[in-house]
Every structure is written in C-alpha cells, then in structure tokens.
Amino acid sequence: MTDSAVLRPKLKTTDSLDRAPRLSGSMTSLGIAQLKPDNSIPASSSPSMSAESDRSLSRPTSEREDELEDYDAQKPDLDAMVQSTLEKQNYAVSGISDRSPAGPNEIPIRLEKIKESGLYNLRADDPDIREILKRGLARQNAGKRQAVRDLVFTRRFTTFDRQNPQSYESPFHGFFTLFWLGMALMFFRVAAQNWRQYGSILGQNEVMSTMFSHDVLLLGIVDGVMWVATLFGFGLQKVILSGWLNWDTSGYIIENLWQAFYLGAVVGWAFYREWPWTHTVFIVLHAFVFVMKQHSYSFYNGYLSQVFRRRQFLERKQKQLEAMSPMTTTSSPRALNHDRASSTALVSPSSPTVLSRNDRRKSGLPFNGAATNNLTFETEQVASVAQAISSDRPLTQNEMNTFSDVISDELAALTQELKGKCSLTQNYYPSNLRLADFAIWTCFPTLVYELEYPRQDRINWWYVAEKTAATFGVIGMMMVVSQAYIYPPVLETVRMKEAGMTVDERWAEFPWIVSDMLFPLLLEQLLTWYVIWECILNVLAELTRFADRGFYGDWWNSVSFDQYARDWNRPVHNFLLRHVYHSSISAFHLSKTGATFVTFLLSACVHELLMFCMFKKVRGYLFWTQLLQVPLVALSKTKFLKGKNVLGNIVFWIGLFIGPSFLTSLYLVI
C-alpha cells in the first residue's frame, strides 16, 4: 500500500455487504492484512437477512434513501468495547469467531454490523468485561450512574403536631381548635342521650360487643405470628449473601411466592375463624403493611446483593491485573501510529460527543492540552488494553494504569451504592443484614427501606403519653359515632334482606340509606385518618426515634385526585412510587402513562380485596371507582380544570363527601 490517494467509485444505495463473499486472514508483522475468500461460510448465513435485503432492494430508490442513516447524528455505542487491530488472530467476518475458548487473560471479540451504516464494531463477548468498560465510558460521558429510585428522608413534623411551629403560626389554627371542640360537644351530647336511655354512654353497645367479644386474644397472637413470619425475607437475604442463591435468578421469585402465600394465609385464616369485620379489617390491613415492608426490604437488599457480587468480581479482576507484569519494551513509532489509527478507524469521526477542557477536568480524564472532537481518546486507551489482553501480550504500564483506573472508578461507584444514604452510621451492605436492624425496620413508620434514616437523640415519653391518650380518645369518639349514626342504617339493610325484600324494593330505599350515612361516614373517615397518620404513626416514630414525620401532606387542599393520592398517605405513596411505578418503567419498560395505570390498578385490587374480606362478596364497586380516578386525573389536566384550584378543590370534596356513603350503601343494599 502507498500513501498516495486511491480513487474508488462511490457507494450506491443498493450496495450491501450482505451478499459479499466472507473473508478471513491474518495480520502480518508490518500491520498489513492478508485476506482471502472463505468459501466454507455461505455468503448469506441467514435466510431472513437475505429476504430482508431482497425486500429492501425491491423498494423505490427514493424511499430507501430516506431511510439511510445520518452518520453525523450517530451516538457512540457504549457496548463497542474493542476497536483495534487484529494482530495474531484469525476471525471470520461473518461475526463468528473461529478461536478456541478464551483463556484467563483473553477477551473474545467478534464483528457486529451497525444496522445499515456499513460500519462494524468489534465487541467483547465477555459480559463482565464489556460491562466494566461500558460503565466506564458511560461515567465519562454522563458523569453519574443511576441507582434505585431515591427518596429523601429528613427531619420534619406532621402538620397538626403541636411540636410543629408552623401549625401554631397558621392563620387557620383556630379552625383546628374549633373542630375538636365541636367533636367533644357532640361526644358529650350523644353520650348523655345514651346514658339517659340505656344507662351506658355507648347505648346498647353493639359495636363494642362486636369488637371485643370474639377471639381478641387470638387476634393478638396471630398478629405476633405474622411479625415473626416476616423473618423469612431476612433469612432469604442471608442465604443470598452466602452465595447459595442468586437474587436475579431465583431469589426474587421465591420472595414473590412467599409474599403471595403470606397474604393468602392471613386472609384464609380470617375467613376460617369467621371473624367480625373489625378483626378482619385490622388483621388484613396489618398483613398488607407487613407484605409491603418485606417487599421493600427484600428487593432493595436483593439489588444491593448484585452490586456486592459485582464489586467482589471487580476486586478479583483488579488483583489479577496487579499480578501482571508490564511490558517494558517500547513500540516503534510506525507501530504506535498504526495502533492509534486502527484503534480509531471504526469510530465515526463526526460523532456529536465533544469533551471540552472543562469536561475532562470534571470527569477526571487526562488532558494533554487540546480537546478532542469525539471519544477517540478514551476508546483508544480501552481498545489498547483489550487488544493486549486478547493477543496474550503483556500490558504496558500505561495500559495497566488505564484498565486499573476504569475498574477503580467502577469499584468506587459500586461502593457508594452499597453505602446508600449512610452518613452518620456504618450500616452499609452487607453489615445491615442483622436481626436487630431488621426488627427495628419492621417497627419504623415507613414502607420504603433505606440503610439509614434520620433519627432523634432520645425518646420524649410525655409526647408518647400524649399521642397514646389521643389515640384512645379518638377511637372512643369513633365508637360513639358508629353506634349512634352508622349502626342503625346498617342494621336496617340487614333487616330488609332478612324480610325478603326484592332488589327493586331495596333499591328504592338506597337514596335514604346514602343520605343517612353521608355525614357520619365522612366524619369516621376523617377520624380514622387522624388516629392512624397523626396519632399512631407519631407514637411509633417517637418510640423508634424516627425523625421523618412526613406521613401526609395538605391533602385537604387537593385540586385533583392524583394530588390527594400522593398526600393523604405518604408511606404507601412512596412505596408505590418506588416499587410499582418506577419498577414498571425500569423492569417492564412501560411508559409513564402505563406505569400510572398499573399503579392505580394494583391499588384498586387491594381495596377491593379489603371490601371482599369485610362483606364476604365480590361486587367490584370500589375497584371500578378506583380506576375511575385515572380519567378524572386526566380531566384535571385539561383546560376545563387546569389552573382552577377552587373548582378542583370543590370537585375533590364532593367526591370525598359522597363517595364513602355511596359505595358502602352499594355493598350493603345490593
């Protein structure tokens, strides 16, 4: 070959390498390729490719020209690991290597065509090495790796907590006082009437009798057994850490099967014991809490187990690299120039990626005084290392440093992932897999597992006593409201069915049942929310010194139902956000709209299961009402409601006011 320019005809759009004869050969010591046709491999090794090529050629030229790739718009392929000369190796251009299996210091590579661009990448078949270098290039190009969906935990109080200074500074603080004053007056009025008629502040006491007359002790024992059974997930993570199981293959399948069995066993036991609705609701809801806690704990630690294994693998690779001796001889200038030219020959010179002087300083890349116009500088170093390993020649000191830097960067990133958000403790993976850590996690008032949470220095026992008293006080109010205003309409629906009234006759009474329970059920819903998210969760947070009290937002100001879903129950929302919504996008590659629908669908199924446990029948009323929120959310983003906060808040409160009474009446009457 000479340095003079060689004229050759321009490629036509009908030219293709698919019909060209396959070539094989070797590289001489001067870097010259000696190639010859290899008739042992058919020209069209894939009938489907040949047929596709025929279909492509049969289309009009103008149509095919529109589909030609724009090389200038091509982005560098991070999987393209090796782009170097083929010294001392024989490869079949068809993409199938005729080498023997790779040795311990070899990287098997193959040629792969880049769509229809006429370019080929040399790719490493070793997935571990390929992943190492791919992440190295990705880190240089992006600067940050993506991990599990991050949630921020910080020190804060709930809105109605007296420790929250903002609650006392709120101009609506007087309305909060007025609400509880009105609740107290209503409680004393109903209690006085019950005492006057029945000699008891709870009237005939049917609700209290239902709650405490059947299997109360057994209910507590079952709840304790449920807590102990959650240790299965802890044991599974220990087995995975020991290497007996792999999370990505069998570990997550075992965990999902266990969670399904766990929930089914609890529901089945509640039906077997014929528990009243109070027992059933408590035990099923607590089962859902334990299932979500097990899921978050197992899937986060399962992910970290894969990171931990990868770090162990890279540490072994780094030790192997340190054990290798560098090559001390210096290559000739011609050979060096040939290596540089051939290592970058397959990189598109018009790649849009540009690393400036500042980019190199930020990414930690070496800088020689001039910026390059693509990733040639980085990829040729990687290619030089891969070429040396694949050709069994010793690495030069620069090549060893390059490969060691790539592995070290990856090790640092993996180590940071294993640390999570730990800043005050050393609770890194796998040291977090301790029984005490798991036990305290099951008591934390959150459903999203993290290695570290913000904690308080001490427990305020006066605060615990205050919230505990508030819990029992609110529950007492709820029992009075239920006995006085909810139990009579419910009992009436039971009498209608026992009297043999037809569906049409019961349907005629339906509007009156709804109206009788409008205000009581709205009040019960508000009190139930308050006793759980303001009282019970704050007690758990104080006992466990859990400092993040963001259990809810200002959901009463919601202008759409998706805002209400986010704010009224932050622990469940955070769980669905990480483990359902984002997992649907990352694992199943759903769109944001599809992931939103899946999230609402799962929530609807859970709510309908709870209705099934309460009423012992499947009607689907709540299920379809939950799914109806999806189009309502879309409607709130249209020009009819978007930006109209007052109207949106009115629509929200109408739905919250009528919905519980309407749905409960449906389950009772129909």
Side-chain angles (χ1 to χ4, degrees):
M1 297 179 64
T2 64
D3 295 335
S4 60
V6 178
L7 298 177
R8 61 177 176 82
K10 295 183 178 180
L11 289 175
K12 302 178 181 178
T13 56
T14 57
D15 291 338
S16 172
L17 291 178
D18 294 331
R19 299 177 180 273
R22 270 43 178 179
L23 303 177
S24 64
S26 61
M27 299 295 295
T28 66
S29 59
L30 297 179
I32 300 176
Q34 295 180 346
L35 304 176
K36 61 180 180 179
D38 191 347
N39 297 324
S40 62
I41 303 177
S44 298
S45 57
S46 173
S48 61
M49 289 178 58
S50 178
E52 180 64 26
S53 178
D54 291 339
R55 287 193 296 269
S56 175
L57 292 175
S58 64
R59 289 178 292 175
T61 303
S62 59
E63 181 180 344
R64 284 182 275 108
E65 287 177 349
D66 294 338
E67 297 180 1
L68 293 180
E69 283 195 70
D70 182 4
Y71 297 145
D72 294 337
Q74 255 189 337
K75 294 183 179 180
D77 186 358
L78 297 180
D79 282 328
M81 305 285 303
V82 186
Q83 296 165 332
S84 60
T85 59
L86 307 181
E87 296 178 352
K88 303 179 184 179
Q89 305 295 333
N90 293 325
Y91 294 99
V93 182
S94 61
I96 304 174
S97 174
D98 56 3
R99 293 186 57 192
S100 58
N105 291 331
E106 295 178 326
I107 298 181
I109 59 178
R110 58 187 171 85
L111 280 174
E112 182 177 275
K113 188 178 180 182
I114 307 178
K115 297 182 179 178
E116 297 180 359
S117 63
L119 298 180
Y120 286 82
N121 282 336
L122 284 169
R123 304 171 68 93
D125 283 335
D126 186 340
D128 297 314
I129 297 296
R130 184 170 66 241
E131 188 67 17
I132 293 173
L133 300 181
K134 175 182 177 181
R135 294 194 183 194
L137 292 177
R139 191 178 298 107
Q140 292 171 0
N141 195 23
K144 184 179 180 181
R145 66 187 291 123
Q146 293 183 350
V148 174
R149 168 74 182 182
D150 285 336
L151 294 172
V152 178
F153 289 88
T154 185
R155 295 177 180 269
R156 51 184 167 176
F157 299 102
T158 54
T159 302
F160 296 116
D161 196 336
R162 65 173 178 81
Q163 299 182 102
N164 188 351
Q166 295 181 354
S167 64
Y168 285 98
E169 297 173 0
S170 172
F172 295 98
H173 180 70
F175 281 97
F176 180 73
T177 304
L178 176 63
F179 173 81
W180 286 114
L181 181 61
M183 289 299 305
L185 292 175
M186 187 194 69
F187 174 81
F188 285 119
R189 176 183 177 277
V190 174
Q193 286 182 342
N194 288 335
W195 181 268
R196 180 182 179 183
Q197 291 182 353
Y198 305 105
S200 171
I201 61 174
L202 296 176
Q204 292 182 330
N205 214 16
E206 292 92 346
V207 176
M208 178 73 76
S209 300
T210 302
M211 293 177 62
F212 296 100
S213 63
H214 184 57
D215 280 355
V216 178
L217 179 60
L218 180 61
L219 182 67
I221 295 175
V222 171
D223 196 53
V225 172
M226 287 168 51
W227 179 85
V228 174
T230 60
L231 291 172
F232 178 89
F234 171 76
L236 179 62
Q237 293 304 317
K238 280 289 192 179
V239 172
I240 291 174
L241 178 62
S242 66
W244 291 97
L245 292 175
N246 190 306
W247 174 255
D248 274 355
T249 55
S250 57
Y252 80 96
I253 297 177
I254 295 175
E255 179 63 31
N256 281 323
L257 292 176
W258 161 252
Q259 292 172 18
F261 170 78
Y262 182 95
L263 184 60
V266 172
V267 173
W269 179 259
F271 274 83
Y272 172 74
R273 295 298 302 178
E274 297 183 351
W275 278 344
W277 70 270
T278 52
H279 294 48
T280 302
V281 169
F282 170 79
I283 206 68
V284 172
L285 286 179
H286 213 183
F288 277 125
V289 170
F290 281 139
V291 166
M292 287 186 284
K293 279 184 170 288
Q294 291 180 82
H295 185 92
S296 186
Y297 181 86
S298 298
F299 275 73
Y300 187 33
N301 281 292
Y303 165 77
L304 292 181
S305 70
Q306 298 301 109
V307 175
F308 183 71
R309 287 191 177 189
R310 178 166 182 79
R311 192 184 70 168
Q312 289 180 319
F313 166 78
L314 291 183
E315 288 173 345
R316 292 194 299 267
K317 289 290 183 181
Q318 194 173 47
K319 290 180 180 179
Q320 293 177 6
L321 186 62
E322 293 172 353
M324 298 176 63
S325 300
M327 181 174 61
T328 58
T329 59
T330 304
S331 303
S332 64
R334 178 175 180 177
L336 180 59
N337 291 335
H338 173 75
D339 287 343
R340 291 175 61 88
S342 57
S343 66
T344 62
L346 296 180
V347 179
S348 174
S350 56
S351 172
T353 303
V354 177
L355 293 181
S356 64
R357 181 190 300 262
N358 292 332
D359 293 334
R360 290 185 175 280
R361 289 197 180 116
K362 292 178 181 178
S363 61
L365 298 176
F367 182 72
N368 59 1
T372 59
N373 65 342
N374 51 34
L375 290 178
T376 300
F377 185 82
E378 292 79 10
T379 55
E380 70 178 13
Q381 291 189 3
V382 173
S384 177
V385 174
Q387 175 196 356
I389 297 177
S390 63
S391 61
D392 287 332
R393 71 167 174 82
L395 296 175
T396 65
Q397 187 63 53
N398 289 337
E399 291 170 341
M400 291 184 64
N401 292 339
T402 299
F403 199 24
S404 179
D405 289 343
V406 173
I407 295 179
S408 297
D409 290 343
E410 182 69 10
L411 282 172
L414 295 176
T415 301
Q416 187 60 40
E417 284 194 41
L418 294 176
K419 291 182 179 180
K421 294 183 177 66
C422 291
S423 59
L424 303 176
T425 65
Q426 302 294 322
N427 197 38
Y428 310 152
Y429 184 90
S431 60
N432 68 308
L433 296 181
R434 300 187 302 268
L435 185 59
D437 182 83
F438 178 81
I440 193 66
W441 149 247
T442 59
C443 298
F444 280 151
T446 180
L447 300 174
V448 174
Y449 180 78
E450 290 288 352
L451 298 177
E452 182 181 275
Y453 300 95
R455 306 288 296 279
Q456 293 185 160
D457 297 330
R458 62 183 182 86
I459 300 176
N460 185 343
W461 291 104
W462 286 109
Y463 181 82
V464 173
E466 172 193 334
K467 289 297 182 181
T468 302
T471 299
F472 287 102
V474 174
I475 291 177
M477 289 185 180
M478 293 173 60
M479 294 176 61
V480 169
V481 172
S482 298
Q483 180 67 45
Y485 300 108
I486 297 179
Y487 184 78
V490 171
L491 186 62
E492 181 63 26
T493 60
V494 174
R495 290 173 178 171
M496 286 191 300
K497 292 182 179 180
E498 291 178 349
M501 295 178 62
T502 63
V503 175
D504 293 337
E505 292 174 335
R506 297 200 304 267
W507 188 255
E509 298 294 326
F510 178 80
W512 306 107
I513 300 295
V514 172
S515 63
D516 289 342
M517 292 196 295
L518 275 176
F519 287 96
L521 278 180
L522 176 63
L523 192 57
E524 287 289 275
Q525 185 178 8
L526 295 176
L527 292 177
T528 301
W529 172 84
Y530 185 85
V531 76
I532 295 176
W533 279 268
E534 179 61 37
C535 298
I536 295 177
L537 292 186
N538 269 316
V539 169
L540 288 176
E542 192 67 30
L543 291 175
T544 57
R545 298 186 295 111
F546 191 83
D548 191 339
R549 312 292 173 87
F551 305 132
Y552 57 87
D554 55 342
W555 57 265
W556 45 90
N557 294 326
S558 298
V559 297
S560 62
F561 284 98
D562 61 329
Q563 181 183 351
Y564 171 70
R566 290 193 302 268
D567 289 340
W568 84 280
N569 188 349
R570 286 279 178 83
V572 171
H573 167 72
N574 291 337
F575 175 86
L576 294 176
L577 182 65
R578 171 186 281 187
H579 296 291
V580 180
Y581 179 81
H582 285 289
S583 294
S584 299
I585 295 176
S586 60
F588 300 103
H589 308 291
L590 297 180
S591 63
K592 291 184 178 181
T593 303
T596 300
F597 177 77
V598 169
T599 304
F600 274 95
L601 178 63
L602 178 62
S603 177
C605 291
V606 170
H607 283 82
E608 185 60 32
L609 176 60
L610 186 61
M611 293 296 102
F612 168 70
C613 295
M614 288 180 58
F615 297 102
K616 305 298 187 296
K617 57 185 178 182
V618 178
R619 290 293 185 266
Y621 305 135
L622 184 56
F623 174 82
W624 293 110
T625 304
Q626 288 280 108
L627 290 185
L628 184 62
Q629 294 183 22
V630 176
L632 289 178
V633 170
L635 179 63
S636 66
K637 298 178 181 179
T638 63
K639 63 180 181 179
F640 300 103
L641 291 177
K642 188 174 183 180
K644 301 176 182 178
N645 293 342
V646 175
L647 179 60
N649 191 242
I650 292 174
V651 173
F652 157 73
W653 273 111
I654 290 176
L656 197 67
F657 186 63
I658 298 178
S661 177
F662 181 81
L663 289 173
T664 303
S665 300
L666 280 177
Y667 281 100
L668 290 172
V669 174
I670 306 301

